[in-house]
């Protein structure tokens, strides 16, 4: 790194370049052309970076929307599973009651055969 006294500020260098270009008429045209080319390149880079940022923003929004949709779907599936489990419990209770009736009928049938 150069010592502080030997370093030139970038704006000072640019000002020196502009001063050199304006002093000589033909050089002024060349400097303007070079400046326009440089500016177009810099604007192209800026436009590219802006478009890239916009695409990333849209991608993030889409990802967030997909995430929310997946959460909603998961909640819906959870509710369906809870409903199915409740219905399964109901049918299990009915089957248990029917099994008790069948067991009682077997006992009655065995008692009737024994008499």
């Amino acid at each position: 790194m150069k010592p502080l006294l030997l370093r030139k500020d970038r704006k000072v260098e640019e000002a020196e370049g502009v001063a050199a270009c304006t002093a000589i008429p033909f050089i002024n045209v060349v400097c303007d052309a070079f400046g326009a080319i440089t500016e177009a390149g810099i604007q192209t880079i800026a436009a590219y970076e802006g478009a890239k940022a916009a695409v990333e923003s849209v991608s993030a929004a889409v990802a967030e929307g997909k995430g929310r949709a997946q959460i909603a779907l998961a909640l819906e599936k959870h509710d369906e599973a809870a409903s199915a489990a409740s219905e399964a419990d109901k049918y299990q209770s009915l089957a248990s009651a029917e099994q008790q009736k069948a067991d009682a009928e077997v006992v009655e049938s065995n008692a009737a055969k024994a008499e």
Side-chain angles (χ1 to χ4, degrees):
M1 179 180 253
K2 292 181 180 180
L4 190 58
L5 294 175
L6 297 179
R7 284 189 293 172
K8 283 189 177 180
D9 190 333
R10 183 181 171 113
K11 292 189 183 223
V12 171
E13 289 176 356
E14 290 174 3
E16 288 173 351
V18 170
C21 283
T22 56
I24 305 170
F26 176 71
I27 299 291
N28 188 14
V29 172
V30 172
C31 288
D32 285 346
F34 180 72
I37 292 168
T38 305
E39 179 184 4
I42 291 171
Q43 286 181 355
T44 301
I45 292 169
Y48 170 76
E49 291 296 326
K52 185 175 158 185
V55 167
E56 288 173 358
S57 295
V58 169
S59 296
V62 168
E64 182 180 354
K66 283 183 180 178
R68 287 184 182 182
Q70 288 176 344
I71 289 171
L73 183 62
L75 289 173
E76 182 181 327
K77 294 296 180 184
H78 179 65
D79 289 346
E80 287 175 8
S83 176
S86 175
E87 193 169 337
D89 285 344
K90 179 178 91 173
Y91 286 117
Q92 182 65 37
S93 296
L94 290 173
S96 183
E98 289 295 320
Q99 183 64 43
Q100 287 176 353
K101 283 182 189 178
D103 289 343
E105 288 175 0
V106 167
V107 169
E108 285 178 19
S109 175
N110 287 341
K113 284 182 187 179
E115 291 178 4

